[in-house]
Amino acid sequence: MSTEGYGAELRAEREYVAGLYERLDGERARVKGAYRDALRGTGGTPMERDFEVRALGKEVRRLDVADNGLCFGRLDTVDGGRSYIGRIGLFDEDDEYEPVLLDWRAPAARPFYTATGANPEGMRRRRQFHTRGRQVLEFTDEVFGRPGNGERGDAALLAAVNAPRSEGMRDIVATIQAEQDEIIRLDHPGVVVIEGGPGTGKTVVALHRVAYLLYTQRERMERHGVLVVGPNPAFLNHISRVLPSLGESDVVFMTPGSLVPGLRVTKEDAPEAARVKGSLKMVDVLKAAVADRQRLPEEPYSIDLADLTVRIDAATAEWARDEARQSGLPHNEARRVFTEIVTYVLTERAIGRIGRGWLTREDREGWERLRADLVKELDSDETFARALDEMWPVLTPESVLGPLYESEERLKAAGADLALHRAEGSAWTVSDVPLLDELVDLLGRDKSGEEAAAERERKKQAEFAAGVLEQLVGRQDSMDDEDHLFATDLLYAEDLAERFDEQDTRELVERAAADRDWTYRHVVVDEAQELSEMDWRVLMRRCPGRSFTVVGDLAQRRSPAGARSWDAVLQPYVPGRWVYRSLTVNYRTPAEIMAVAAGVLAEFAPEVQAPESVRSCGVLPWSRKVGDEELPAAVEEFVRAEAGREGTSVVIGPPDVPGAVPASETKGLEYDAVLVVDPDRILADGPRGAAELYVALTRATQRLGVLHRNPLPSSMTGLA
C-alpha cells in the first residue's frame, strides 16, 4: 500500500472508530438515564424494581469499561465482507440491529485470532489497530494467501509484550494467539487443565475463558457467579482488573486462606505440618477427633425430679451414642437423636417407678401424659442440660481443631501425627482452612440453637411492629369517627413484622463471599500445583457441577502437600471429565533471561521442557559478587536506578535481605526489572528452594540482575 493510500485508509478507519464511540456514548447516556429512573421508580414489586436496577447497573459498568480499546481490529472476507472486532458488541438500531462492532467472544470474531496463511478460514485480510485512548494511531495488515506471508503479523503482539508493566495485569483481548484462543473457547463441561511454564499467559487465558463462558452461558452462570482462587492477595490484586475490563463483574476472588468466611489467615505451616494437614488422611483424623468428644460418663449422672431421682449411666449413654452415630447425621444434628434416646430411657424408668401399682402400658393415654410431664421437667433441668453438654456437646470447627492441636493426648486418640501439636491451637494457618471447612460438614448446624435465635428475632420484630401500630392508631385522622379505620383493623403486628424483613440488596459478589455454603457455576484455580488434597475437597464442595479451569505448572510446585500429577488430583472427583492443554510459548520472559532460568529448571526438573520465548530484549542478565557490607548499598543502587525508569521493579531474596520479598509472594506477577539476591540461599531449601529460584528468575520482562555473596550455583549460566 502506498503512503498516500495508507493515509486515506487511516483517515477512514479513524472516522469509523469515531462513529463507534458516538454510538457508545449515546448508548451509555440512554442506559444511565434508565438506571437513574429505575432507582427513583415506584412501579412494580420491590423484587421487580431490584432486578431492573441490578440489570441496568451491570449494563452501565459494561459500557463504562469499553472506552479503552473499544475497537482493535478488522476482518475482511474473501467475498468482500467486512467486520470490526472490539471489546463489546454494538448494533445499528436503524438497520435491523446489524452489528457495527463484533464482540471479541462472538463466533464470527474467532478468525481474528485463529486465521493463518495456511488456513485463512475464508478471510482475506486481518487488520490490527494501534490505539491510544479513542484515537487510532496506526494499523498493520496481514493479507492471507500472499506469497511469503507468515502465520500472523506480530506487530501488535510484540508491542504489547514489550510495553512497560503497570501495577495490574492487562487483558490480551487484542492480541490473543491461536493456541490461547483454542483454550479460551474450548467447549468442555468438566475440568480444563491449562499447564504452561512462566510467561506463557496461562492465567490471563484462564480469565479470558471465564469472560467467554459468561458471554456464551450467561443465563446459566450469572446467578451463581464464578470463583477465582489465587495464591495470595497481591496476585489477586494483580489480576483483578482483567475481568472488569472485559465487562464482567460477577466474579469472586479468594485465596485458599479466605475460603471460610470470617476466617482470614496468611501464615504458613512448617513443611512437615503442611504435608500432614494436606493429606486425605486428615478426614479420618477429624472424624475421630469429633467422635472423641462424644463421651460416656465415668460415673452416673443423678438428676433430681419432683418425685424421684433418675440416673444416666454408661450403658444408657452408649446406646444413645450408637443410635446417634448410626443416624448418619452430622454431630450437632445427631445430638437430637442422642437426647431423644436418653430422654426415652429416663422417662420409661421413671414412669415404671411412679406408676407402679396403678399405671400400666395398656393405659396409653395416661402413660404418655405422664411422659410429657417428665419430659418438661427434664427439659428445664440444669443438671440434665449439663450432662448432655458433657456427653454430646454442641461443637464448632474451631472448638474441635484448636484443642486437638494443643493436646498430644487428643492427637494420639484421633490417630494424628504429632507434627500437628502446637501450643496455641487457634493460631490458624492456611493449611488449617480446609480442615475447618471439612469440620463444618462433619459437625453440621446446631439446629435447636438456630431455631431459638430465629424465634427471638421474630418476636423482636413483632414487638417493634406493635409499637409502630400503636403510633399509627394514636394519630389523628381526617376521617369521621364512624368511618375511622384503624391500622390494627388491617394488620397484625406479626404481619407487619414480615414487611420489615430487609431484602438482601447486596451484589452477588458480596453475598457469595460471605456465604460458606454458596456454590458457583465455575471455578478458576491458579497456581493449582500448590493445592493439597484437602484443598481440593473444599473447592469441589464449592462447585457441585465440577466446572473448573485449572491453571498451573508442576515444575513450579513448592508446597510439600501440592500436586505431583493432575491425574492424581482430579481423577477421584471428575473421572473421565477432565482435559489437558499446554501452552508452550513464553510471552513474558525474553530469551536472554529465559536461558538463565532454563539452566535452573534443567537441574531440578530435567524432564520439563522450558517454554520458548517469543522475543529477545537485547539486554543480557548480569551478576555481581558483593560482600556483606556492600549488599545494602548495591540493593539501593538498583532501586534508585529503576525508580527513574518507566515500569515496575522488585527485589527478590531471603527474608533477612533489606527491601527484598520472598519468591513465593511474586508468583504469577511480572515486573520490568528484577533483582535476585543470594540465589544460593534460596536454593538451600531443597526442591522447594529450586522452584522458588526458578520463579524469581522468570518474573522479569526486560532486565534481570543477580547479587551474590557466595559463588553462584553451577546451574546459573548465561549471566554477564
Side-chain angles (χ1 to χ4, degrees), residues 75 78 111 114-124 144-145:
L75 274 175
V78 292
T114 59
T116 65
N119 182 23
E121 300 185 34
M123 299 297 134
R124 185 176 68 85
F144 299 115

Side-chain angles (χ1 to χ4, degrees), residues 566-587:
W566 301 119
D567 185 74
V569 165
L570 298 172
Q571 197 64 14
Y573 301 105
V574 284
R577 287 190 59 223
W578 68 278
V579 296
Y580 176 88
R581 295 291 184 273
S582 64
L583 294 170
T584 58
V585 178
N586 189 328
Y587 299 99

